[in-house]
Amino acid sequence: DQQVKQNSPSLSVQEGRISILNCDYTNSMFDYFLWYKKYPAEGPTFLISISSIKDKNEDGRFTVFLNKSAKHLSLHIVPSQPGDSAVYFCAARVYNFNKFYFGSGTKLNVKP
Amino acid sequence: DVKVTQSSRYLVKRTGEKVFLECVQDMDHENMFWYRQDPGLGLRLIYFSYDVKMKEKGDIPEGYSVSREKKERFSLILESASTNQTSMYLCASSFTGEAFFGQGTRLTVV
């Protein structure tokens, strides 16, 4: 049973608008969450993370929000750019344990 | 910058062959991982290692084994390749924070 779920396989957004990617998790022991970006035929690249003691973390155009009561996190990209078109994976880890659990990914297409 | 290097970008192997996928990291990370990526299934953990000679099964270890004789190197072994092992294989390493990934190996078993 998947402990990290991304229920939207794809998302299409106009350049300059906001992209919102969503992720849900089931394991309440997760306390560190990450977003990765992946282009075809390349390895995932780390984007941004958040620990469970926070509810928001920003890095430039990227903001991650964490709602622990709902076991939900989201990644906001503002403004979206065509170069952001990629597959985005959310991931979670129990602190001090070594396993990362990944969602199934959301393919973002930013249209010029 | 952390560098995780996988030995091959593309491999084509025959059914029944023994296949070795090699991964090297240059940041002295304790933890190393092997994942496979398949459409609609995300990244699934095959094996991971938290120290030299230490390994633990992930979610889909069947048909695979691993070797970690040196801290910087983590090898994935397909004992007898089968067509359902055609996939993108991703190696990663981490210390206490995020995992860093290699460029991936696209393996095709024919």
Side-chain angles (χ1 to χ4, degrees), chain A residues 1-86:
Chain A
D1 192 27
Q2 270 201 304
Q3 300 189 50
V4 178
K5 296 182 182 179
Q6 293 175 258
N7 292 318
S8 298
S10 63
L11 175 68
S12 190
V13 169
Q14 203 68 38
E15 181 179 6
R17 307 294 290 268
I18 184 170
S19 295
I20 300 176
L21 296 97
N22 293 303
C23 181
D24 298 296
Y25 62 95
T26 57
N27 188 342
S28 57
M29 297 298 291
F30 289 147
D31 65 355
Y32 182 59
F33 304 89
L34 311 91
W35 284 95
Y36 283 83
K37 175 180 178 179
K38 187 181 183 300
Y39 293 118
E42 292 185 14
T45 303
F46 169 72
L47 263 181
I48 192 169
S49 63
I50 188 168
S51 75
S52 60
I53 61 172
K54 294 185 174 183
D55 54 19
K56 178 182 172 181
N57 189 27
E58 275 184 88
D59 185 1
R61 296 186 298 115
F62 302 91
T63 303
V64 56
F65 294 92
L66 176 62
N67 182 335
K68 289 186 290 294
S69 60
K71 293 192 177 69
H72 177 84
L73 68 154
S74 60
L75 175 68
H76 292 209
I77 306 173
V78 184
S80 302
Q81 299 173 353
D84 296 329
S85 297

Side-chain angles (χ1 to χ4, degrees), chain A residues 36 38 41 43 93 98-100, chain B residues 9 33 35 37 96 99 102:
Chain A
Y36 283 83
K38 187 181 183 300
R93 194 192 70 181
N98 299 319
K99 289 174 66 172
F100 292 87
Chain B
R9 291 294 298 267
F33 311 85
Y35 290 88
Q37 184 200 359
T96 59

